[in-house]
Amino acid sequence: MEECLAIADFDMSLKDQIQKDRLPNHIAIIMDGNGRWAKQKGLVRVIGHENGTKAVRETVEASAELGIKNLTLYAFSTENWNRPKIEVQTLMRLLVKSLKKEIKTLQDNNIKLSAIGCLDDLPKKASQELSDVMEKTKNNKNMTLTLALSYGSREEIVNVIKELSVKVKNNIISPESIDESIINKHLYTQNLPDVDLLIRTSGEQRISNFLLWQIAYAELYFTDILWPDFKKENLYEALINYQNRERRFGKTSEQLT
Ligand code: IPE
Ligand code: IPE
Ligand code: MG
């Protein structure tokens, strides 16, 4: 009996192992592997995307429950427009469907929805639904959930340079005044802190044009789990792994202690 208790004590759940006072302020996720998940099961890619939306709900709920303040999900890249038309259409339809369905989850968990990317490129229905949910949740305070839609980091940076050039040309700012903080204020992510933890699923170890500026000092975490299989426990694993790292920001280990 005693032995059983000892084992039970030792076998802390993954969630219990997370230190609540050392959570990343901003988690970003490259949700990858929907197509392969479907293919492995002999299904069409679209079914993979449908099941991917369940993993979105798991992750959003788990993050809100833990007290994560900012979660950013890469849902559709500027490069994803080059996929077959039918897949793009399905992804946009799924976006509208999910927004309609998940508004309740967002309200129940006091989550504010936000979006980054070239939102003008989205089909009208999708951008209207998105604006609607953003408006309805704008006063929610627990967590900011940001969807990266038609998002490309290079496009974002090009936009910043264009906006700043116009301001310099019109004598609104001087070239000398341009610093990191001004650049931050012109990015789509102007209201978000830097990314602390970047997760990518599906075994791919690349950034695919996601938040290049904002991940300058993020911890990178790659898992072989395909996105539709991503569960709360997988997020807990990523967080435990993150908390076991030493973030030095250029300093020496000794300086930190
Ligand atoms: C991620 O899954 C979803 C999007 C990019 C929209 P993929 O569709 O890229 O899945 P794989 O990489 O082909 O398995
Ligand atoms: C990145 O995934 C974009 C999203 C997750 C939305 P991709 O599957 O499009 O990335 P690559 O092209 O394989 O790098
Ligand atoms: Mg992919």
Side-chain angles (χ1 to χ4, degrees), residues 42-53:
L43 302 166
V44 287
R45 294 179 58 85
V46 169
I47 309 286
H49 295 313
E50 274 174 13
N51 281 274
T53 62

Side-chain angles (χ1 to χ4, degrees), residues 32-33 36 83 200:
D32 198 13
R36 277 163 283 166
R83 292 194 177 192
R200 183 171 189 147

Side-chain angles (χ1 to χ4, degrees), residues 226-244:
L226 301 173
W227 180 248
D229 288 330
F230 196 83
K231 296 281 175 308
K232 290 186 179 183
E233 274 64 31
N234 302 114
L235 181 72
Y236 301 156
E237 277 165 2
L239 285 167
I240 293 163
N241 181 294
Y242 166 86
Q243 292 187 333
N244 280 315

Side-chain angles (χ1 to χ4, degrees), residues 117-131:
C118 202
L119 304 178
D120 291 343
D121 290 351
L122 297 176
K124 213 166 169 205
K125 240 184 166 175
S127 65
Q128 277 172 350
E129 197 59 43
L130 190 64
S131 305

